[in-house]
Amino acid sequence: MSQTDAPQAGDADTPKQLTGYCEPWSLRAGETVRLLASSHQPGRADIDITRIVCGDPTRYGPGFDERPAPSAGNWSVTLDEQPLVPGSYGVAAVDGVPSVSRLGLRVWMMPTLLDGPQRVATLCAQTAGASASSAAEALRLDLSEGRAVVSTSAHGQQVQLVVDDRPLTRNRWYLLDAELDLDAGTLSAAVTTARSDSPGRDALEGSRLSDLPMPMLEAELIESAHDGAPRHGTGGTASLGMPAVTDALAPVTLWLAAGPGGERFDGRLAQPTLRTGDGTVSWALSADMAGRTVPADDPSCGPIVLHQLPARAITGPAWDGTAHRWADNPSHFDAVHFHRDDLYDAGWQATVEATLPDDLPSGIYAFRVCSDAGEDRVPFFVRPASGERTADVALLMPTATYMAYANHRMLFEGADFIPTKTRLRPEHAYIRDHPELGLSHYEKHPDSSGVMFSSRRRPVLNLRPGADGWNFTPDTDINAFLEHLEIGHDIVTDEDLHFEGVDAIAPYRVLVTGSHPEYWSTAMLDALAEWQRNGGRLMYLGGNGFYWRVAFSDDWPGAMELRRAEDGVRNWQTGPGESYHAWGGEYGGMWRRQGRAPNEICGIGFAAQGFDKATYFVRDPAVDSSRAAWILDGVPDERIGTSGLGGGAAGQELDRYDVRLGSPEHAVMLASATTFGPDMLRTKEEFEGSVDFPTPDPMVRADMVFYETPNGGAVFSVGSISWFGALARDGYDNDIARITANVVRRFADPEPFPPPIA
């Protein structure tokens, strides 16, 4: 496709109408991919599949390059608007409980927002013998203007009880207990809180405060709820306004943080318990942390099924600071944090299902959607068909990084290192105008808690050609360079590496990273290390790689978990006791804090960031007499990469060689970049106190290194995100392209690299 046909920049005055996502992001030729699309302006649309060689329409890249893939299919469809409904919640079918005339519902709650009406929990029930469709809200627990409210609509009676006229406090645990007694014709409730570690805060709670420890408090409230006169806390009883009702109720559904058509709840819920006559059913929310269901202690009762991925492995009302790893004492982590903006799965209907040809070449592809409402491209990644011959070189697309940044809002909300922009491309204007798209790992929820879960099963607007200056678009520049070399290369993704392990990359002699491979699971890192030990050759063409540990779950496919624990450059940090992943139970945070600094896998590690101006590398004086001199063949100048995106090949985020952190001592230093502006600062983990660093700071540096690994393998690392922006200058006739080509061609050569001489 010509440059004039590239996706054009726009602004908020030309709103985007089309969007969509595909499932999965990565697949093999011969497998089926689904497009799920929506249009705010319904109508006919033409859809085809194209191959994206380069998705960068800016002047720093080689030019937008999109090629038709007619064998993959084309379609004419009618597009309608498909809604996005965010908000996490849980639902349990409890119809195994016998019909009774008295129902009780108790739940610990920690409200984290107190704005507007919120639904805490709802117990739907039906009159004995009636159909499930006739179920009423027998017990409904709400927050209204910060106050706990209990209501019922059983038997057509609309009765509401304000449990305590005083507003609750954010981020404090309360026990809310309600009971509906049809024989007595009453609705009763109580709200209580246990003592905290803050006598000052406790003074505000007054009669709600209990001196009993938490397990005793529960026992007291269960006992007292039977006579409608709670002994602790405030509460009351409301008459149903009619004589005693003798009809019985059978529980049908329990909702947590929602109700049928009700508002969402922002906060934590714990230990939900249903009382039916003299029996109880409860759900331990600490069970199966990585799963989507929470079993009931009564096998005749259904589990709580969680929707839209609320946060788990978070502290509950029993947590006292003695356990920080949830697996050590699950009862202290018996809670779920629900958010009104959680969105795991958009749940849209498929627009197109395409079974790809078995012989479709590996590459970056996209569904191209065109209609009177506009145009959209939804990318996906194709690997060679199972059992087919592969190339010697593979480009590892950092889809974990794409997921972490999914729908990030930094361009219009700003960040500590990024100024707010007023002119946005249509994709980011759409993110701004449609908060229902969900958040990235770079945002906080409205209650200020960090976004620990991100998903690709929703439209990800910055995963579009040209939409973003980070990650995907720059990585297509690297793809275009490999295409330019005509050596043949395949595409592999992070998720492939995580779920298949070393088998995903075993066929390849050379693995080229994207510009920003920041997020890595344990399985991914283990697989890469094993591949290197088996003679693989790694080309790390970026910066800030191998930095954060993440986790995946088979029960929540397409989602990723991140805990920003212990230091590092981060927009939020995990709360006390919440640094261990729900999925797998591993300690979260930086790989450097796990004893596996990036330096051990690629020779260098994250050192500094700054976005004002990029600069050049200066070759090391000893490189021409080293065993790595071949890398700079055809590059005679002392300065390397003097122009490109932002001004040079070294910029944005930098990695430094450091033996203390695990950089191999036998590595050859090829070149370094040090002449940065005052905005380029050490990363947070490099600070050991408030000090005045020297100028220039010797620790603020991008290092280009080479070293050998076992069985004839090797590593080449550039230590700069901006490397991609200098590749295409002068039609690839430049020093950065020459260095990269030298390494690709030598790494693809089967001749082993000899071990270094000690």
Side-chain angles (χ1 to χ4, degrees):
M1 177 175 279
S2 68
Q3 180 71 36
T4 56
D5 292 324
Q8 299 299 305
D11 56 40
D13 294 330
T14 56
K16 184 176 176 60
Q17 299 293 324
L18 296 178
T19 190
Y21 61 103
C22 65
E23 175 65 26
W25 271 5
S26 178
L27 70 159
R28 291 187 178 275
E31 295 178 343
T32 299
V33 60
R34 297 185 303 143
L35 170 69
L36 306 99
S38 175
S39 176
H40 296 294
Q41 180 181 320
R44 299 296 297 173
D46 293 320
I47 300 173
D48 63 354
I49 292 177
T50 63
R51 185 160 71 95
I52 305 293
V53 175
C54 182
D56 186 354
T58 70
R59 63 187 177 90
Y60 299 106
F64 185 81
D65 188 350
E66 178 182 53
R67 303 176 186 180
S71 65
N74 57 80
W75 303 264
S76 181
V77 302
T78 299
L79 284 183
D80 293 313
E81 183 170 4
Q82 302 205 60
L84 290 168
V85 185
S88 56
Y89 60 98
V91 182
V94 292
D95 46 281
V97 175
S99 298
V100 294
S101 60
R102 188 173 66 200
L103 291 173
L105 180 60
R106 187 190 72 236
V107 63
W108 280 91
M109 64 173 178
M110 175 193 282
T112 55
L113 277 183
L114 292 173
D115 60 331
Q118 297 188 59
R119 184 76 67 94
V120 176
T122 308
L123 179 63
C124 295
Q126 67 190 60
T127 303
S131 64
S133 61
S134 66
E137 294 181 348
L139 281 174
R140 173 171 165 172
L141 283 51
D142 292 305
L143 293 180
S144 178
E145 298 181 348
R147 294 165 176 81
V149 177
V150 174
S151 60
T152 183
S153 60
H155 292 276
Q157 297 299 300
Q158 299 290 332
V159 177
Q160 186 177 84
L161 174 65
V162 177
V163 184
D164 188 349
D165 195 48
R166 293 168 297 166
L168 305 180
T169 301
R170 287 181 61 191
N171 302 317
R172 185 183 183 105
W173 281 106
Y174 295 92
L175 181 59
L176 181 56
D177 197 302
E179 184 167 278
L180 172 66
D181 190 329
L182 293 181
D183 288 338
T186 58
L187 174 68
S188 59
V191 61
T192 311
T193 185
R195 287 176 301 180
S196 74
D197 292 327
S198 172
R201 291 185 68 206
D202 288 350
L204 298 175
E205 294 299 332
S207 60
R208 284 199 297 244
L209 187 65
S210 170
D211 291 331
L212 294 172
M214 193 265 298
M216 282 294 294
L217 175 59
E218 291 183 13
E220 282 291 295
L221 279 175
I222 291 173
E223 180 183 345
S224 65
H226 291 309
D227 58 23
R231 296 191 182 95
H232 298 282
T234 57
T237 301
S239 170
L240 296 184
M242 58 182 296
V245 179
T246 57
D247 286 347
L249 291 172
V252 176
T253 309
L254 173 66
W255 298 73
L256 293 182
E263 297 85 359
R264 296 290 191 259
F265 172 68
D266 279 283
R268 302 184 178 196
L269 298 179
Q271 303 174 24
T273 299
L274 168 65
R275 293 192 306 278
T276 57
D278 295 325
T280 64
V281 178
S282 61
W283 293 262
L285 299 181
S286 58
D288 190 15
M289 285 291 193
R292 301 175 74 157
T293 61
V294 179
D297 60 2
D298 183 344
S300 68
C301 239
I304 292 174
V305 180
L306 298 173
H307 297 264
Q308 300 298 15
L309 196 44
R312 303 185 69 190
I314 47 98
T315 56
W319 188 74
D320 59 7
T322 57
H324 286 260
R325 189 167 71 116
W326 60 263
D328 292 339
N329 192 343
S331 67
H332 283 202
F333 299 85
D334 181 17
V336 175
H337 196 152
F338 298 94
H339 302 93
R340 69 182 66 177
D341 55 0
D342 287 331
L343 182 65
Y344 161 63
D345 190 347
W348 287 356
Q349 295 295 313
T351 305
V352 163
E353 291 194 6
T355 299
L356 304 179
D358 291 338
D359 59 353
L360 190 69
S362 179
I364 305 169
Y365 288 82
F367 283 104
R368 181 172 55 181
V369 186
C370 302
S371 78
D372 291 341
E375 187 175 76
D376 195 22
R377 289 172 174 83
V378 182
F380 59 95
F381 309 99
V382 177
R383 301 163 67 192
S386 181
E388 290 298 309
R389 184 183 183 280
T390 62
D392 292 328
V393 178
L395 174 59
L396 181 65
M397 305 302 292
T399 49
T401 296
Y402 303 161
M403 205 179 299
Y405 280 85
N407 296 329
H408 76 85
R409 310 172 68 83
M410 290 183 283
L411 292 181
F412 51 88
E413 290 189 349
D416 57 352
F417 50 88
I418 299 172
T420 301
K421 294 186 176 182
T422 56
R423 180 176 173 81
L424 300 170
R425 284 189 56 96
E427 294 87 356
H428 282 278
Y430 191 92
I431 295 171
R432 179 198 61 200
D433 297 338
H434 293 274
E436 67 272 15
L437 285 164
L439 302 177
S440 75
H441 282 310
Y442 284 80
E443 274 81 52
K444 298 177 182 178
H445 294 286
D447 64 5
S448 296
S449 60
V451 178
M452 294 193 290
F453 297 90
S454 181
S455 167
R456 58 170 172 75
R457 303 187 77 162
R458 55 179 171 143
V460 178
L461 272 296
N462 52 314
L463 189 75
R464 297 291 191 271
D468 209 334
W470 289 303
N471 307 323
F472 175 69
T473 295
D475 294 341
T476 68
D477 284 307
I478 297 175
N479 182 73
F481 175 76
L482 295 175
E483 189 86 9
H484 164 77
L485 292 183
E486 297 182 339
I487 59 170
H489 74 282
D490 292 339
I491 296 294
V492 182
T493 73
D494 285 351
E495 280 193 89
D496 301 326
L497 188 57
H498 173 84
F499 288 106
E500 297 178 19
V502 72
D503 289 345
I505 54 176
Y508 301 103
R509 183 175 295 118
V510 184
L511 192 65
V512 182
T513 75
S515 61
H516 194 191
E518 182 176 3
Y519 294 86
W520 282 69
S521 70
T522 301
M524 289 164 57
L525 207 59
D526 288 348
L528 182 61
E530 182 180 351
W531 176 81
Q532 286 183 285
R533 290 190 181 94
N534 293 335
R537 290 127 186 227
L538 177 67
M539 295 181 65
Y540 171 37
L541 300 188
N544 184 212
F546 317 99
Y547 190 65
W548 291 108
R549 177 185 240 168
V550 294
F552 297 87
S553 170
D554 291 337
D555 290 287
W556 297 94
M560 186 174 79
E561 180 183 10
L562 168 70
R563 304 271 167 153
R564 294 197 187 274
E566 270 202 87
D567 219 337
V569 179
R570 52 192 177 161
N571 301 61
W572 52 269
Q573 54 191 306
T574 52
E578 297 175 0
S579 294
Y580 286 84
H581 289 115
W583 299 347
E586 296 175 322
Y587 187 69
M590 302 164 54
W591 277 110
R592 175 170 169 171
R593 292 287 189 182
Q594 321 293 327
R596 299 184 72 173
N599 308 62
E600 297 184 332
I601 205 77
C602 62
I604 53 180
F606 193 25
Q609 67 176 13
F611 296 87
D612 278 358
K613 187 177 184 299
T615 189
Y616 51 84
F617 289 86
V618 176
R619 69 193 298 139
D620 189 280
V623 69
D624 290 333
S625 58
S626 75
R627 64 187 189 278
W630 57 270
I631 294 176
L632 299 185
D633 282 351
V635 182
D637 296 336
E638 180 185 32
R639 294 184 177 183
I640 301 169
T642 56
S643 64
L645 176 66
Q652 299 189 59
E653 294 181 337
L654 315 177
D655 292 9
R656 185 187 71 239
Y657 176 82
D658 195 329
V659 173
R660 298 173 305 161
L661 294 173
S663 298
E665 294 186 37
H666 68 284
V668 177
M669 184 74 70
L670 302 167
S672 295
T674 59
T675 56
F676 297 98
D679 71 299
M680 186 65 76
L681 300 174
R682 291 189 194 188
T683 56
K684 185 172 176 287
E685 62 271 19
E686 293 287 316
F687 286 79
E688 295 180 344
S690 298
V691 296
D692 185 14
F693 293 120
T695 304
D697 185 346
M699 305 293 276
V700 174
R701 198 173 71 238
D703 291 329
M704 189 191 315
V705 302
F706 164 83
Y707 62 94
E708 299 87 355
T709 52
N711 293 307
V715 170
F716 170 73
S717 296
V718 303
S720 164
I721 284 183
S722 292
W723 185 270
F724 80 90
L727 277 172
R729 291 177 295 119
D730 302 322
Y732 295 117
D733 185 14
N734 64 76
D735 48 7
I736 296 299
R738 200 162 297 121
I739 290 170
T740 311
N742 288 344
V743 177
V744 172
R745 291 191 172 108
R746 175 60 184 93
F747 275 26
D749 187 331
E751 178 68 22
F753 285 92
I757 299 175

